[in-house]
């Protein structure tokens, strides 16, 4: 396979550069409604399609090329890299499809899609995304590692509801009979209850005027749901709206970064008791890993909360220690690895690790206990525990800044070099607020990566440190947008970070709540929101997700080799497309 | 007056630093709803309000202080600067009022204000801003120069309507009688017409079913406006909605950067014929300068369009050459300067210059003619012509990128070093699009400042050049937000630019269309959207607006001295406040 030096290509064979834009898209007439007016970075100005008319201009164009190259020199996709012919061709194919769909998909009106454009609000644009050829390509891409995802937000809401419906222990309760009005505001309480608490056989439904507020088997509640309120389908709609953030929540009712967290928090409150139940937990985890693998994810580091101190046994009353949860993780991961091995698909999954996390509302004394617990788990499950983190709404009044925990964290870092910090920090619009200042502490405390780092772009010195020390940023595009830190992907500061040469890994954060399962949607949004970023840049982010994972060196090499094999196959397929 | 070194203060007298946050605001209870969770950059963590409990922590805090200082070292307000005691006190007073109002004004619900928060969408939040003590302070601040404003968008819409109503030549026309439905969509045509075209005395109103589409004197049209449609008040509302961008335009109907430009463009179409009429032009300019001075602006560089080749004489039919427009500028500016001098208020106004601009839709040949015209005007009015610019919707399909004009612009730059380029560039969300790439060309072509530069944050090399070559960025906060490049001020990339040490001047762009007259609203939005930026940072931006103006060195010194006198008085007044 011929491999060309990128910089040689840039000057000698300009059509093959990742930055090149199809000249056919330039100077479209006003009738062609397109949301991207392409640059002519590598094209000659229209005023001299004939041979160069002056040496002054020729000199100018040379200086321009040089300046653009210097400006982009720090990007991972613009560093000296020997791209294969297939990679360059695939990148070109993708750019061509993107340019076409900017007009054919995003440039026309669609009923039910307000203001379509590439990189638009995800919850409004999802149906359109699913119709694109570009999404089809992206969904097949090997994504590498998923490094920022919360375990209790990792399985599609509809699937979780099906899981709940399939288990006889799961019951539901509301304060009083539901009607059309209360349906809009009342959240269900859903949880497993012990068999001796099961209601009498002749239960009334939760929409029945005779309903008195007791537990109803969830399956029964669904069957009996008032046909006037939609029957079982109405039940599903109501429950799912409590499991997820809906477009009207994000873009209307709670349309600020502060308000949307109220809704966001409530979704965890509703779903957590269902997941924290061993039989469902196990199946939930299985589905999370399997669906991730289907999306091209070959490794996972999952943030798992140890804030609540138990999971519930099958009898729905015995509280098991959290060690049991780790055993479940181990069992399910090994089971899936064995399963894949039996099919000769070892390349598809390098495993799963846990980032132990608790909530940043606890006291320093409580944190000491958490750190102790984490280190005990690390001793027993050295390959499972990948790091430690503190999570919560950084802008929230009840959440503490990292500086408040500096002392125990400093001590821990000194004593436990085997358990790195992988902190959430800077998930905020604030400038100089506590959440923004968390970035200083995350870095000073030695964080290996930064979760979100949304406000990092404001910090020149911190960006330099991240670049030099290779602190990768776990960028969560759809999460940031749904949680209203940015109104759309083109408004996201990701290009600032990428162009500063800071390693970036794309992550999904809480895909169950954002209805954005897998990594394909996040990759898609990044791809359509920039003319600089192409398939090769996505490939580098996938590579970086393995490079900056917490895998040991040997496993990392194995995972990277597997990824490279899959990537080579993928780009060959894309390159062979005729857009 | 005692002047302290800033860096000494930072370490020895930490309470007086501009960055310091009132410790009383920290760890507020959950009942205190505030939208800014303050940082404790200079405070000790709550875990050791007692004496330091470990040398490890003490060392950590020292490293932290150092890192924060390094990170902010490039900011104009954090460079070594001898602040007076009054400046430091005034900054503290402003921070204290800001923190208070984050709760008392922005932290409570208000009828008719959806989702209030500091730095919220301007058109929704304006009424609340006007109620704040902070706005009152900001409105009194000496702002320095207004360096980015379009002449035909510089007087309040209501005032322009009053001007139109006061002149008998101004007539109005609509295609057919207005009714409740058409009122929502039909734009008026308003312009001066020659006396011989005046309609017969018994005109019918434009809402009258008998109205046949002819000219009606605007005053008459207002009087006769159907009471069922609101009568004269209804007329005003309708006309003003065509003069301006309303909240429902920006945040609903046209809520994307591409769509809002349709509405934006239409406002110029409606107002331009009224302004392009000598008697109104003169009064319009007078009002623009006077209202600017009232807002604390002491110097103006106004972008003036020479795209249309005439202004209309008092007879409403003679087309006068644009030289006449320059004579008007000269006459009105001198008149106001003389007026102020007579009152001993020379400090309040250093004058006005014009940045000659045309539209970036013209051909290269047409550009040659424009450049020639500009240089002729420069010869005749050397003190009036400050520079040259090309304007228009950079993302629009009909607008050409700067690279298309490279050749004539390069030649002109060589031949006319006395007429600098002051280009609009990067007013876009695009990444690598033509509008974004304009930044490379603006800089390579030698622009003295950059209009907007919204996408500059993505370009590390260009930011370095702007910092080193002192290319100031004309940041237009409210314009960027209303034109949907950012959804709110906290989402704006301004802190990225400031923290990179690039000079910033705040500007209003098209205040008539955004209902944001003066510079106070823009300064306010910047002030409330950051905990780092305080009054002293605003002061530096005002200073920079004089430093990076096109005034000659002598006039610059005079203007700066005048500004310093006013600033000293202003900070004394603020420092004396008891918040």
């Amino acid at each position: 396979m011929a491999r060309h030096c990128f910089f040689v290509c840039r000057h000698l064979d300009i059509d093959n550069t990742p930055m090149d834009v199809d000249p056919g898209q330039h100077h479209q007439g006003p009738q062609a409604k397109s949301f991207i007016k392409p640059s002519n970075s590598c094209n000659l100005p229209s005023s001299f399609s004939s041979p160069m008319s002056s040496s002054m201009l020729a000199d100018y164009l040379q200086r321009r090329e040089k300046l653009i190259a210097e400006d982009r020199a720090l990007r991972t996709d613009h560093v000296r890299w020997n791209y294969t012919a297939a990679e360059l061709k695939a990148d070109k194919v993708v750019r061509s499809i993107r340019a076409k769909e900017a007009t054919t998909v995003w440039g026309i009106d669609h009923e039910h899609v307000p203001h379509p454009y590439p990189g638009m609000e995800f919850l409004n644009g999802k149906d359109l995304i699913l119709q694109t050829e570009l999404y089809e390509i992206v969904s097949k891409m090997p994504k590498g590692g998923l490094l920022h995802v919360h375990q209790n937000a990792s399985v599609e809401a509809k699937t979780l509801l099906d899981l709940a419906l399939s288990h006889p222990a799961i019951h539901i309760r509301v304060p009083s009979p539901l009607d059309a009005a209360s349906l809009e505001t009342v959240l269900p309480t859903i949880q497993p209850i012990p068999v001796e608490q099961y209601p009498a056989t002749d239960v009334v439904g939760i929409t029945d005027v005779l309903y008195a507020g007791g537990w109803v088997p969830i399956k029964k509640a669904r069957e009996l749901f008032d046909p006037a309120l939609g029957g079982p389908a109405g039940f599903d709609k109501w429950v799912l709206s409590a499991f997820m953030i809906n477009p009207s929540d994000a873009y209307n009712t709670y349309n600020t970064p502060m308000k949307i967290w109220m809704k966001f928090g409530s979704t965890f409150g509703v779903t957590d008791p269902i997941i924290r139940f061993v039989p469902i937990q196990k199946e939930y985890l299985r589905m999370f890993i399997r669906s991730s693998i289907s999306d091209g994810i070959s490794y996972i580091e999952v943030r798992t909360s140890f804030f609540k101190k138990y999971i519930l046994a099958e009898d729905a009353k015995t509280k098991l220690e959290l060690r049991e949860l780790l055993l479940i993780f181990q069992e399910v991961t090994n089971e899936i690895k064995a399963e894949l091995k039996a099919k000769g698909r070892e390349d598809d999954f390098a495993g799963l690790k846990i980032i132990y996390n608790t909530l940043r509302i606890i006291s320093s004394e409580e944190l000491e206990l958490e750190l102790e617990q984490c280190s005990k788990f690390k001793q027993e499950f050295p390959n499972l525990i990948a790091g430690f983190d503190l999570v919560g709404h950084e802008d929230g009044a009840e959440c503490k800044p990292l500086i408040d925990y500096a002392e125990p964290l400093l001590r821990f870092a000194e004593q436990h070099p085997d358990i790195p910090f992988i902190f959430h920090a800077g998930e905020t619009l604030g400038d100089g607020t506590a959440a923004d200042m968390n970035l200083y502490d995350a870095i000073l405390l030695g964080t290996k990566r930064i979760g979100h780092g949304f406000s990092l772009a404001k910090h020149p010195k911190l960006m330099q440190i991240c670049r030099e020390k290779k602190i990768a940023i776990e960028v969560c595009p759809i999460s940031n947008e749904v949680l209203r830190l940015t109104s759309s992907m083109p408004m996201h500061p990701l290009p600032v970070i990428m162009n500063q040469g800071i390693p970036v890994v794309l992550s999904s954060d809480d895909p169950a709540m954002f209805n954005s399962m897998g990594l394909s949607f996040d990759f898609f949004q990044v791809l359509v929101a920039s003319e600089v970023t192409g398939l090769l840049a996505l490939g580098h982010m996938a590579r970086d997700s393995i490079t900056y994972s917490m895998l040991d060196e040997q496993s990392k090499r194995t995972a990277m080799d597997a990824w490279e094999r899959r990537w080579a196959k993928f780009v060959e397929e894309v390159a062979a497309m005729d857009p």
Side-chain angles (χ1 to χ4, degrees), chain A:
Chain A
M1 198 156 15
R3 294 182 85 93
H4 308 298
C5 164
F6 176 59
F7 273 114
V8 172
C9 300
R10 286 206 67 226
H11 295 288
L12 300 187
D13 183 12
I14 230 159
D15 270 355
N16 276 337
T17 70
M19 282 182 293
D20 195 32
V21 170
D22 184 359
Q25 285 298 312
H26 190 51
H27 285 306
Q28 62 221 355
Q31 77 288 356
K33 186 182 163 208
S34 166
F35 284 97
I36 297 170
K37 197 169 76 146
S39 73
N40 48 6
S41 65
C42 298
N43 300 336
L44 302 179
S46 56
S47 56
F48 69 118
S49 46
S50 56
M52 285 182 195
S53 48
S54 83
S55 69
M56 188 188 243
L57 188 56
D59 166 67
Y60 178 81
L61 290 170
Q62 225 169 23
R63 286 189 291 132
R64 188 177 193 265
E65 279 297 307
K66 186 165 167 283
L67 181 61
I68 296 169
E70 279 174 16
D71 194 41
R72 296 178 180 170
L74 298 171
R75 286 176 63 96
T76 51
D77 55 340
H78 284 235
V79 294
R80 195 172 292 275
W81 187 272
N82 292 332
Y83 290 111
T84 64
E87 281 179 312
L88 294 169
K89 176 77 194 305
D91 191 84
K92 200 168 177 175
V93 166
V94 161
R95 283 171 192 274
S96 159
I97 292 170
R98 178 173 69 188
K100 183 186 70 188
E101 292 181 341
T103 307
T104 59
V105 175
W106 304 107
I108 57 174
D109 287 334
H110 299 269
E111 215 186 339
H112 311 307
V113 183
H115 309 308
Y117 59 93
M120 68 180 290
E121 317 86 68
F122 174 71
L123 302 180
N124 283 338
K126 184 177 174 182
D127 289 347
L128 273 188
I129 292 173
L130 287 168
Q131 293 170 32
T132 64
E133 202 181 348
L134 200 61
Y135 179 78
E136 209 187 314
I137 293 174
V138 170
S139 69
K140 291 177 185 154
M141 177 184 156
K143 311 289 190 311
L146 169 54
L147 303 188
H148 187 121
V149 62
H150 293 271
Q151 191 267 335
N152 51 353
S154 63
V155 169
E156 193 163 29
K158 179 71 180 67
T159 307
L160 177 60
L161 176 56
D162 288 343
L163 277 177
L165 288 166
S166 73
H167 204 288
I170 303 295
H171 287 65
I172 188 170
R173 196 164 66 176
V174 286
S176 55
L178 283 180
D179 56 28
S182 59
L183 205 61
E184 299 290 320
T185 53
V186 169
L187 295 177
T189 304
I190 307 175
Q191 64 178 63
I193 61 170
V195 72
E196 60 270 25
Q197 286 181 32
Y198 282 22
T201 323
D202 291 337
V203 290
V204 293
I206 55 175
T207 50
D208 193 308
V209 288
L210 298 175
Y211 172 72
W215 290 117
V216 179
I218 187 167
K219 202 170 168 184
K220 202 83 190 165
R222 183 176 186 271
E223 281 165 17
L224 298 174
F225 209 68
D226 189 349
L229 300 176
F235 176 86
D236 293 351
K237 193 177 161 211
W238 168 64
V239 173
L240 291 176
S241 78
F243 282 13
M244 294 194 288
I245 295 176
N246 298 295
S248 66
D249 297 322
Y251 310 135
N252 196 347
T253 318
Y254 306 99
N255 188 9
T256 75
M258 291 303 282
K259 290 191 179 172
I260 191 66
W261 268 82
M262 296 195 288
K263 166 71 190 184
F264 184 48
S266 80
T267 62
F268 285 93
V270 175
T271 55
D272 189 75
I274 312 171
I275 305 166
R276 191 175 295 285
F277 177 47
V278 167
I280 287 188
Q281 174 79 74
K282 206 176 275 189
E283 193 53 25
Y284 186 87
L285 182 59
R286 208 171 269 134
M287 286 174 160
F288 165 46
I289 299 174
R290 288 209 179 118
S291 68
S292 297
I293 293 170
S294 300
D295 191 58
I297 293 162
S298 53
Y299 170 69
I300 297 169
E301 282 176 19
V302 60
R303 257 116 173 144
T304 306
S305 176
F306 291 81
F307 178 73
K308 285 192 185 166
K309 295 303 173 203
Y310 67 93
I311 50 172
L312 213 52
E314 179 128 27
D315 65 7
K317 55 185 172 188
T318 311
K319 289 185 169 181
L320 303 174
E321 282 186 2
L322 290 178
R323 183 176 170 277
E324 298 293 328
L325 181 61
L326 293 175
L327 289 171
I328 292 175
F329 271 94
Q330 204 166 49
E331 177 195 328
V332 172
T333 304
N334 290 338
E335 167 200 311
I336 292 177
K337 288 188 82 165
E339 204 176 278
L340 288 167
K341 190 172 179 175
K343 293 181 190 162
R345 287 179 56 198
E346 292 103 320
D347 276 6
D348 290 5
F349 189 51
L352 170 148
K353 289 185 190 292
I354 285 172
I355 298 169
Y356 182 113
N357 69 248
T358 184
L359 289 178
R360 55 205 331 158
I361 59 171
I362 59 177
S363 68
S364 285
E365 294 67 34
E366 288 165 326
L367 176 61
E368 301 268 17
L369 297 174
E370 292 284 352
L371 290 165
E372 200 177 312
Q373 178 69 80
C374 178
S375 87
K376 272 190 194 147
F377 284 154
K378 178 71 183 176
Q379 279 181 306
E380 187 175 354
F381 306 92
N383 290 323
L384 200 51
I385 301 291
F388 183 87
D389 189 12
L390 285 154
V391 309
H393 183 202
E394 287 182 80
D395 282 321
E398 69 287 355
C399 277
K400 295 185 185 175
L402 284 176
I403 181 72
D404 279 16
Y405 299 120
E407 208 172 343
L409 292 173
L410 281 166
R411 246 197 321 271
F412 186 79
E414 207 174 52
Q415 289 159 6
H416 296 280
D418 57 327
I419 308 175
F421 296 137
I422 307 173
F423 286 131
H424 277 70
E427 187 186 5
T428 182
L429 285 177
D431 184 36
T433 58
D436 180 36
M437 302 293 283
N438 276 339
L439 285 170
Y440 294 113
D441 294 295
I443 287 172
L444 282 171
L445 291 167
T447 198
K448 288 287 173 196
R449 299 192 303 260
I450 295 174
H452 291 288
F454 190 89
S455 71
L456 182 67
K458 295 170 185 165
H459 300 282
K461 183 68 190 175
L462 301 186
M463 287 197 289
Q464 185 196 332
I465 293 173
C466 289
R467 177 171 62 241
E468 287 171 1
K469 294 200 172 175
K470 302 283 184 196
I471 300 172
I473 313 304
E474 302 160 354
V475 173
C476 306
I478 290 171
S479 168
N480 296 158
E481 182 265 301
V482 174
L483 297 181
R484 310 280 69 206
L485 294 184
T486 182
S487 288
S488 67
M489 201 52 216
M491 225 177 265
H492 195 287
L494 174 59
V496 180
I497 302 298
M498 289 174 71
N499 293 351
Q500 292 279 351
I502 299 163
V504 165
V505 296
L506 296 182
S507 301
S508 59
D509 202 11
D510 306 280
M513 280 61 180
F514 311 140
N515 200 13
S516 61
M517 302 317 301
L519 275 175
S520 296
F521 291 115
D522 286 289
F523 274 64
F524 180 92
Q525 290 290 75
V526 168
L527 183 60
V528 294
S530 166
E531 288 291 289
V532 183
T533 294
L535 189 64
L536 300 182
L538 296 189
H540 281 287
M541 289 191 261
R543 269 187 195 96
D544 281 351
S545 70
I546 296 170
T547 303
Y548 301 106
S549 73
M550 294 301 133
L551 284 166
D552 62 70
E553 286 312 310
Q554 176 54 43
S555 310
K556 204 178 273 187
R557 262 194 303 278
T558 307
M560 189 68 94
D561 288 348
W563 184 86
E564 289 286 2
R565 280 189 289 274
R566 298 176 70 191
W567 171 254
K569 185 162 172 287
F570 168 71
V571 292
E572 290 284 357
E573 281 165 15
V574 177
M577 290 173 68
D578 196 11

